[in-house]
């Protein structure tokens, strides 16, 4: 069965950086796009970024464009999210989600891990 395990969250100061990882198993990782999404307290799930199965293209929500970078290592079945210039409003539970195909679909959030908490505070 599909398993997605996120790590790398924690406490960061405003302006700081964190790198999230998501290790995938139970499917052919390189054949599927992957998404990162987040859920802040009291809010719904928000798509953050997505990357093609082969890593050839990626997309970002306007709220993180220019600050976050998504990447993947298909040899390691691992997805990453490099988060720079963090803001307090980036505080949320971050989850990775398996896409429906090799192309990015921001609505493909139903098959996801349990998440890793990111808190941005001074």
């Amino acid at each position: 069965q599909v398993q997605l395990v996120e790590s790398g969250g924690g406490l960061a100061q405003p302006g700081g950086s964190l790198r999230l990882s998501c290790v995938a198993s139970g499917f052919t990782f390189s054949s599927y796009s992957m998404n990162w999404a987040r859920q802040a307290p009291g809010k719904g799930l928000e798509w953050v970024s997505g990357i093609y199965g082969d890593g050839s293209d990626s997309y970002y929500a306007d709220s993180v464009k220019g600050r976050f970078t998504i990447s993947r290592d298909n040899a390691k079945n691992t997805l990453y999210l490099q988060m720079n210039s963090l803001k307090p409003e980036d505080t949320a539970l971050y989850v990775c989600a398996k896409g429906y195909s090799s192309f990015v679909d921001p609505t493909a959030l139903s098959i996801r891990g349990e998440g890793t908490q990111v808190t941005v505070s001074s």
Side-chain angles (χ1 to χ4, degrees):
Q1 70 278 20
V2 174
Q3 284 196 318
L4 300 166
V5 181
E6 303 92 339
S7 62
L11 176 64
Q13 292 190 337
S17 299
L18 285 173
R19 189 193 195 204
L20 306 184
S21 299
C22 168
V23 178
S25 62
F27 64 102
T28 304
F29 184 68
S30 60
S31 295
Y32 292 90
S33 64
M34 294 293 294
N35 287 321
W36 283 103
R38 65 188 182 185
Q39 187 164 21
K43 296 188 176 181
L45 195 60
E46 175 194 17
W47 175 80
V48 171
S49 181
I51 187 168
Y52 275 25
D54 63 1
S56 61
D57 207 354
S58 56
Y59 301 88
Y60 299 90
D62 287 344
S63 57
V64 306
K65 200 172 294 182
R67 300 188 298 119
F68 290 9
T69 302
I70 190 171
S71 63
R72 64 192 297 161
D73 185 338
N74 286 346
K76 295 182 178 180
N77 283 6
T78 303
L79 176 73
Y80 303 100
L81 186 68
Q82 178 67 44
M83 305 187 297
N84 299 329
S85 302
L86 284 163
K87 304 176 181 180
E89 52 263 42
D90 294 319
T91 295
L93 181 71
Y94 284 73
V95 298
C96 63
K98 174 183 173 289
Y100 297 140
S101 72
S102 61
F103 301 104
V104 171
D105 179 354
T107 67
L109 301 177
S110 59
I111 304 173
R112 60 183 183 264
E114 294 187 349
T116 185
Q117 179 67 38
V118 171
T119 302
V120 184
S121 174
S122 55

